[in-house]
Amino acid sequence: TTALVGPGGAGKSSILNLIPRFYDPDIGSVKIDNQDIKELSIASVRSSIALVSQEPILFDMSIHDNILYGKPDSPDNEVIKAAKAAAADEFINELPDKYKTVVGEKGYSLSGGQKQRISIARAFLKDAPILLLDEATSSLDTESEHLVQKAISILMKDRTTLVIAHRLSTIINSDQIIVLDLGKVTETGTHEELLNKDGVYKKLYEREF
């Protein structure tokens, strides 16, 4: 797990967006398993990646079909298993049409936490080796954040994860933290190493705690 931290506008999302080839770098390269992703098809790269973003992308279709979008040929039992792993099964079964409930454009009929858990269920179903988390809990209330963070912790297990964190408390245990400021890497290290450096990370951490 590698976390990208830094003030707004530092370049965190720009780095994250290079990995699924939403755009390509002008200089340098992005490599997965030592292979330049420019040499691979976009479909091939994206098939290896699951993305959970700050604003979940849900479609005007049923909850079942929204989760199925992660891996369209999955049987119903795998969809339900993914929803349970994402702590979504309980609230889904309380809805009038359960998994057949149509959520509306952008999932307007659901709360922020519910939408995010469906997005995480989709990532569980896809079961991709690379996971990208773009401030996935920053817009949630405390209770929803707790449920979503717990689901994300399970989802991250045994995957290569790149995470942009709004709250530093969510990335303290990352294997590596990269600190960005004004488009440049200013510090790298573990949480403890960066606190000892007395730099940008320490200032961000002290501001939060």
Side-chain angles (χ1 to χ4, degrees):
T1 300
T2 295
L4 300 175
V5 303
K12 302 183 294 295
S13 293
S14 296
I15 289 177
L16 197 82
N17 289 335
L18 288 169
I19 297 167
R21 292 192 65 189
F22 292 150
Y23 42 74
D24 290 321
D26 297 320
I27 300 169
S29 61
V30 177
K31 294 181 179 181
I32 297 175
D33 289 338
N34 290 321
Q35 187 165 11
D36 190 334
I37 61 174
K38 272 188 179 179
E39 297 171 2
L40 305 172
S41 70
I42 289 176
S44 172
V45 172
R46 292 181 185 170
S47 69
S48 301
I49 295 169
L51 171 65
V52 180
S53 60
Q54 183 175 352
E55 186 56 47
I57 300 168
L58 299 185
F59 304 101
D60 188 12
M61 53 178 67
S62 70
I63 287 174
H64 173 276
D65 289 346
N66 266 290
I67 296 173
L68 197 65
Y69 192 78
K71 192 177 174 186
D73 56 351
S74 302
D76 289 353
N77 66 311
E78 285 191 18
V79 172
I80 294 169
K81 184 180 175 183
K84 285 180 177 177
D89 181 70
E90 186 176 345
F91 86 77
I92 292 170
N93 280 311
E94 290 173 353
L95 297 170
D97 295 321
K98 300 182 179 177
Y99 280 82
K100 292 182 180 179
T101 301
V102 176
V103 299
E105 194 70 35
K106 295 184 179 180
Y108 74 85
S109 65
L110 303 175
S111 71
Q114 289 171 337
K115 287 190 285 188
Q116 196 61 287
R117 279 177 275 164
I118 289 174
S119 179
I120 292 167
R122 186 188 287 162
F124 267 112
L125 186 65
K126 188 172 186 181
D127 197 24
I130 298 170
L131 176 64
L132 305 180
L133 300 172
D134 188 358
E135 300 197 294
T137 62
S138 65
S139 60
L140 304 180
D141 59 69
T142 305
E143 184 180 353
S144 294
E145 183 185 8
H146 175 72
L147 286 167
V148 168
Q149 195 59 52
K150 189 175 178 182
I152 284 174
S153 296
I154 298 167
L155 179 62
M156 288 168 66
K157 196 171 186 300
D158 299 325
R159 297 179 210 278
T160 296
T161 305
L162 186 65
V163 53
I164 295 176
H166 179 71
R167 297 180 179 90
L168 298 186
S169 58
T170 62
I171 54 93
I172 284 172
N173 295 320
S174 297
D175 300 302
Q176 178 182 218
I177 298 170
I178 297 174
V179 184
L180 296 163
D181 196 18
L182 299 175
K184 294 182 179 180
V185 175
T186 59
E187 299 167 326
T188 60
T190 64
H191 170 71
E192 294 297 333
E193 288 168 350
L194 291 172
L195 284 184
N196 290 332
K197 284 184 179 179
D198 201 22
V200 173
Y201 181 83
K202 187 176 181 181
K203 289 186 178 71
L204 291 170
Y205 183 79
E206 288 175 345
R207 196 180 301 162
E208 185 171 322
F209 294 97

